[in-house]
Amino acid sequence: MAAEMILPENFRAAGLACGIKENQSTFDLSLFVSETPCSGAGVFTQNQVCGAPVKVSRERVPADSIRAVIINSGNANACTGERGIEDARWMTQQVASGLDVDENQVLVCSTGIIGHFLPRSPIEVGIPEAIRQLDSDSKGFLNAARGMMTTDTVPKQATRTLLVGGKTVRVSGVAKGAAMIAPNMATMLSVILTDASLDPSQTDQMLRHAVDRSFNCVSVEGHTSTSDTVILLANGAAGSGSYSEQELSELQAVIDEVAVELGQAIIRDAEGADHFITIEVAGTQLRAEAFEIAQTIANDALVKTAIAGSDPNWGRIVSAIGRTSVKLTEQDIVLHINGTLIYKSGVPAEFDEQSVSDGIRQNREVSIEVQLPFGEASVVFWTSDLTQEYVRLNSEYTT
Amino acid sequence: MAAEMILPENFRAAGLACGIKENQSTFDLSLFVSETPCSGAGVFTQNQVCGAPVKVSRERVPADSIRAVIINSGNANACTGERGIEDARWMTQQVASGLDVDENQVLVCSTGIIGHFLPRSPIEVGIPEAIRQLDSDSKGFLNAARGMMTTDTVPKQATRTLLVGGKTVRVSGVAKGAAMIAPNMATMLSVILTDASLDPSQTDQMLRHAVDRSFNCVSVEGHTSTSDTVILLANGAAGSGSYSEQELSELQAVIDEVAVELGQAIIRDAEGADHFITIEVAGTQLRAEAFEIAQTIANDALVKTAIAGSDPNWGRIVSAIGRTSVKLTEQDIVLHINGTLIYKSGVPAEFDEQSVSDGIRQNREVSIEVQLPFGEASVVFWTSDLTQEYVRLNSEYTT
């Protein structure tokens, strides 16, 4: 049975349709509020062309007194100049005034079309309404997951609990992003909430650890959006005080799990994709080396079209590995596809091509495993295949 | 009127079907021979997983006594271990013995499927036959252009002449590579021949200069093949002796032109592509910076699907620029598509979207111009769009 999607203690959420999107009944506004100040951290797009909300939120974290995150979909408020910055600040002021907090205690994200000014009127009505609807049960949480959707076909939520010092700590998160359709360049947003007690520096470290193993390990077309943002808020309401190293490590594992589940959900919501591909690279000296190899395979159009065609095309994979900066020769590579040995010692293995091909055709999941002999580092990366439907969807969208 | 495709002085060529390919009448062997020793240089794939012929030829250049280049298509002799190396050397021995030269005077390239051992029998018959058919007129040259084709739909040749010290110098080249179809990972091979007098070091420098501005500036899916090779041979038969700086510079320009024409021909032979895209990036401090930006745009699946959909999607282009390592802000970017100003000063320009979109739809050529304010460096890059047909062709091919 799936876990019930509920918020950690003392968090409330709401989501609604305020009229930013053309279809007036489609949700386009989400609000997350903690009843007490949170340690807050954020990881933002590294794209130098970034949305106004990224610029505003980035200056406000890490911090020890975040109270809310306001998110709109339908308009990314990116490439909107100085007026865009003012609009993003104005959104946080509207929330701050309704909650009676300082605007610096509010973070903001926007996703949708870029190059258009934010429409203030619907948001001006929507924010007070969202504050009124704030709800600590699963309905508010689900609505908030809906309010940030753009081309997503399903809302994305994940939750986990763990016992720390006899007290239940919960970690719950939402994400938006539908990898294959990219009218707004596949913007990925996520908000993760926990009632654990963390200081801002711990919150920041834990978020970066989780993002490195989740959202940074999913890729569809290798394009970093102007608005990508992941936020972690910890309000301490579980009341467990300060943690031992062991407890912090258990908490980290749970935050990682929530982030991985949300990151995978983005790949799984890839309209136009036929396969969910897990790429495991092991045996490098540095994690960064395994990461580079996994990412290169994941972004390789020839590998991705081969999987779409159910073709265990080891040549394309081995060649992708060869063009990374990781020093190696073809002798070093051992490759398995769906558990079958495909390539070893510089030459293809003897394997039943038909049966491997059938295995790819008949299952949505594909595993590509690369083993190298250089060390103990490893990375798991997720992507989807490249189908004709992907191209149709991405070329038929018009700005 | 198109230039007549003929070889430089004292070069001969041949191409034929020897039976490597399943269809016994499809050409699969090419031979280029100079009657006198040439200065020879090569530029090879930087992929660490490379074909046996790359390993063999790379050791033999730069050199002052190259006499021949033997090329087979239908089998790349890559990922074939030690036996592959022996097979590649054997090919050069067969040619050397027929021409009565040393095997080190012969270079070798192979293109086709990887992971299969080279079939020696057809080649053993084919090489003496190719030597018999060697021809200095346009027929031998055209046949040689055909013998290296894999998924190419047309043979690719280019030729130029210039006067140096009152003597006519000719530069002629062939290339293979059909960018969009990549069963053998879009291997690109080119042989450029000239009767100019160059020493090995000049030959090497001139080839690298030309490749940097031609084959390195074409990209379809960003995948570097295991077998990419470009060779330049200069036999001095034009008899013009040593050149002034000015003459060398004029000769360089002509070699560049031949290489650019061949590189563009590879993009134009992109089955499944609808648009030939020229990307000009100007105004960086370093050429490498302009190159990185142009390459990032050229390899961006979202930009390429947008062009396929006739969408002047400035957001995807600006975002691609932003994710390069070149320090800039959105204010710095001026973008034109097909001559129309699309984006400037951090916001989209006012332009007639319908008319720009119609312009893309109605023409095979698309120009993307990026102007930056940092310096005088610039790069021109060529690519094609990403269509459903591309994906169909690449996913339906099976190893």
Side-chain angles (χ1 to χ4, degrees):
Chain A
M1 200 184 69
E4 194 196 0
M5 290 297 163
I6 56 175
L7 290 160
E9 283 297 311
N10 287 1
F11 280 102
R12 291 183 297 156
L16 49 77
C18 71
I20 301 168
K21 291 180 181 167
E22 240 175 80
N23 181 337
Q24 299 288 310
S25 64
T26 306
F27 279 26
D28 49 18
L29 197 68
S30 299
L31 179 63
F32 300 88
V33 172
S34 169
E35 287 167 32
T36 54
C38 301
S39 289
V43 172
F44 301 92
T45 181
Q46 296 195 20
N47 197 312
Q48 301 173 96
V49 175
C50 66
V54 168
K55 292 175 186 167
V56 169
S57 295
R58 195 156 48 190
E59 289 182 359
R60 298 182 179 178
V61 286
D64 60 4
S65 59
I66 301 298
R67 287 290 303 279
V69 183
I70 180 75
I71 302 177
N72 75 279
S73 55
N75 185 313
N77 192 11
C79 294
T80 45
E82 196 50 45
R83 179 166 155 194
I85 304 274
E86 281 163 30
D87 285 339
R89 283 211 189 97
W90 169 85
M91 274 179 73
T92 66
Q93 286 154 4
Q94 297 297 106
V95 173
S97 127
L99 295 174
D100 198 19
V101 301
D102 187 85
E103 66 173 281
N104 287 311
Q105 296 180 276
V106 182
L107 304 179
V108 58
C109 306
S110 300
T111 177
I113 51 169
I114 75 176
H116 292 258
F117 294 118
L118 207 64
R120 285 200 184 191
S121 332
I123 296 173
E124 193 160 18
V125 177
I127 286 177
E129 182 56 31
I131 292 173
R132 265 190 295 279
Q133 294 188 14
L134 280 171
D135 187 351
S136 59
D137 74 8
S138 60
K139 179 157 165 274
F141 187 32
L142 178 60
N143 285 343
R146 285 195 176 127
M148 60 206 287
M149 288 165 63
T150 53
T151 50
D152 305 63
T153 63
V154 290
K156 298 168 185 72
Q157 298 173 280
T159 191
R160 293 283 189 288
T161 56
L162 78 161
L163 274 177
V164 187
K167 288 169 177 161
T168 300
V169 168
R170 182 175 288 276
V171 178
S172 297
V174 293
K176 68 79 50 179
M180 302 299 279
I181 312 258
N184 48 11
M185 288 169 302
T187 286
M188 192 274 303
L189 300 181
S190 176
V191 178
I192 302 175
L193 309 169
T194 179
D195 45 24
S197 299
L198 298 170
D199 66 31
S201 153
Q202 289 171 324
T203 308
D204 193 62
Q205 280 174 37
M206 286 200 161
L207 177 60
R208 286 173 198 282
H209 187 280
V211 168
D212 272 348
R213 281 150 188 82
S214 56
F215 300 108
N216 281 348
C217 290
V218 299
S219 174
V220 174
E221 65 287 279
H223 201 127
T224 310
S225 140
T226 54
S227 306
D228 292 342
T229 301
V230 186
I231 288 167
L232 174 61
L233 300 185
N235 69 4
S240 20
S242 69
Y243 303 125
S244 67
E245 281 298 310
Q246 174 64 25
E247 287 165 341
L248 281 173
S249 154
E250 287 169 18
L251 181 60
Q252 178 74 68
V254 167
I255 294 172
D256 290 356
E257 273 183 36
V258 167
V260 165
E261 185 173 331
L262 293 170
Q264 290 191 358
I266 289 172
I267 298 290
R268 289 182 192 281
D269 194 13
E271 264 192 73
D274 289 337
H275 289 96
F276 177 85
I277 307 171
T278 300
I279 301 166
E280 289 190 64
V281 177
T284 55
Q285 288 191 292
L286 305 175
R287 184 175 185 280
E289 295 171 330
F291 184 86
E292 184 191 346
I293 291 172
Q295 189 178 41
T296 303
I297 296 170
N299 287 335
D300 193 294
L302 296 179
V303 172
K304 291 152 78 89
T305 49
I307 298 296
S310 303
D311 175 16
N313 195 315
W314 55 269
R316 296 184 185 182
I317 298 170
V318 168
S319 175
I321 298 168
R323 68 184 171 89
T324 66
S325 69
V326 182
K327 282 278 157 238
L328 51 78
T329 73
E330 57 260 51
Q331 313 291 329
D332 299 317
I333 302 167
V334 179
L335 172 68
H336 287 78
I337 297 179
N338 284 345
T340 302
L341 177 67
I342 303 289
Y343 181 93
K344 192 181 179 176
S345 307
V347 290
E350 283 184 18
F351 64 95
D352 181 345
E353 286 190 17
Q354 193 56 50
S355 122
V356 176
S357 177
D358 288 348
I360 299 174
R361 187 173 297 106
Q362 289 155 13
N363 295 287
R364 188 170 155 82
E365 311 275 325
V366 178
S367 121
I368 297 175
E369 279 176 70
V370 176
Q371 180 69 50
L372 295 167
F374 308 122
E376 299 299 317
S378 67
V379 154
V380 185
F381 209 100
W382 302 277
T383 190
S384 54
D385 58 357
L386 176 52
T387 64
Q388 296 178 62
E389 183 66 2
Y390 164 81
V391 174
R392 188 185 67 75
L393 291 164
N394 275 290
S395 53
E396 288 181 358
Y397 172 87
T398 313
T399 33
Chain B
M1 201 181 72
E4 193 195 1
M5 290 298 163
I6 56 176
L7 290 160
E9 284 298 311
N10 287 1
F11 281 102
R12 291 183 297 157
L16 50 78
C18 71
I20 301 168
K21 292 181 180 165
E22 239 175 82
N23 181 335
Q24 299 288 312
S25 64
T26 306
F27 279 27
D28 49 17
L29 198 68
S30 299
L31 179 62
F32 300 89
V33 171
S34 169
E35 287 167 31
T36 54
C38 301
S39 290
V43 173
F44 302 92
T45 180
Q46 297 196 19
N47 198 313
Q48 301 173 97
V49 175
C50 65
V54 168
K55 292 176 186 167
V56 169
S57 295
R58 195 157 49 191
E59 288 181 359
R60 298 182 179 179
V61 284
D64 61 5
S65 59
I66 301 298
R67 287 290 303 279
V69 183
I70 179 75
I71 302 177
N72 76 278
S73 55
N75 185 313
N77 191 10
C79 293
T80 46
E82 196 50 45
R83 179 167 155 193
I85 304 274
E86 281 163 30
D87 285 340
R89 284 212 189 95
W90 170 84
M91 274 180 74
T92 67
Q93 286 154 5
Q94 296 297 105
V95 173
S97 129
L99 295 175
D100 198 19
V101 301
D102 188 84
E103 66 174 280
N104 286 312
Q105 295 181 275
V106 182
L107 304 178
V108 57
C109 306
S110 301
T111 177
I113 52 168
I114 75 177
H116 292 259
F117 294 119
L118 207 63
R120 285 200 185 192
S121 334
I123 296 173
E124 193 160 18
V125 177
I127 285 177
E129 182 56 31
I131 292 173
R132 266 190 294 280
Q133 293 188 15
L134 280 171
D135 187 350
S136 60
D137 75 8
S138 59
K139 180 155 163 277
F141 188 32
L142 178 61
N143 284 344
R146 285 195 177 127
M148 61 204 287
M149 287 164 64
T150 53
T151 51
D152 306 61
T153 63
V154 290
K156 298 169 185 71
Q157 299 173 281
T159 191
R160 294 282 190 287
T161 56
L162 79 162
L163 273 176
V164 186
K167 288 171 177 161
T168 298
V169 168
R170 182 174 288 276
V171 179
S172 298
V174 294
K176 69 78 50 179
M180 302 299 279
I181 311 257
N184 48 11
M185 288 168 303
T187 286
M188 192 273 303
L189 299 181
S190 177
V191 177
I192 302 175
L193 308 169
T194 180
D195 45 24
S197 300
L198 298 170
D199 65 31
S201 152
Q202 289 171 324
T203 308
D204 193 61
Q205 279 174 38
M206 286 201 161
L207 177 61
R208 285 172 201 282
H209 186 281
V211 168
D212 272 347
R213 281 151 188 83
S214 56
F215 299 109
N216 281 348
C217 290
V218 299
S219 174
V220 175
E221 65 288 278
H223 201 126
T224 311
S225 141
T226 54
S227 305
D228 292 343
T229 301
V230 186
I231 288 167
L232 174 60
L233 301 185
N235 69 3
S240 22
S242 69
Y243 304 126
S244 67
E245 281 298 310
Q246 174 64 26
E247 286 166 341
L248 281 173
S249 154
E250 286 168 18
L251 180 60
Q252 178 74 69
V254 166
I255 294 172
D256 290 356
E257 273 182 38
V258 167
V260 165
E261 185 173 330
L262 293 170
Q264 290 190 359
I266 289 171
I267 298 290
R268 289 183 193 280
D269 195 13
E271 265 191 72
D274 289 337
H275 289 97
F276 178 85
I277 307 171
T278 301
I279 300 166
E280 289 191 63
V281 177
T284 55
Q285 288 191 290
L286 304 174
R287 183 174 186 279
E289 295 171 329
F291 184 86
E292 184 191 347
I293 291 172
Q295 188 178 40
T296 304
I297 297 170
N299 287 335
D300 193 293
L302 295 179
V303 172
K304 291 153 78 90
T305 49
I307 298 296
S310 304
D311 175 15
N313 195 317
W314 56 268
R316 296 183 185 181
I317 298 171
V318 167
S319 176
I321 297 168
R323 68 184 171 90
T324 67
S325 69
V326 182
K327 281 279 158 237
L328 51 79
T329 73
E330 58 260 49
Q331 314 291 328
D332 299 318
I333 302 167
V334 180
L335 172 69
H336 288 78
I337 296 179
N338 284 345
T340 302
L341 177 67
I342 303 289
Y343 181 93
K344 191 180 179 176
S345 306
V347 291
E350 283 184 18
F351 65 96
D352 182 346
E353 286 189 19
Q354 192 56 51
S355 124
V356 176
S357 177
D358 288 348
I360 299 173
R361 187 172 298 105
Q362 290 155 12
N363 296 287
R364 190 170 152 81
E365 311 274 325
V366 178
S367 121
I368 296 176
E369 280 175 69
V370 176
Q371 180 68 50
L372 294 167
F374 308 123
E376 299 299 317
S378 67
V379 154
V380 185
F381 209 100
W382 302 278
T383 189
S384 54
D385 57 359
L386 176 52
T387 65
Q388 295 178 63
E389 182 67 2
Y390 163 81
V391 175
R392 188 186 66 75
L393 291 163
N394 274 290
S395 55
E396 287 181 358
Y397 172 88
T398 312
T399 33

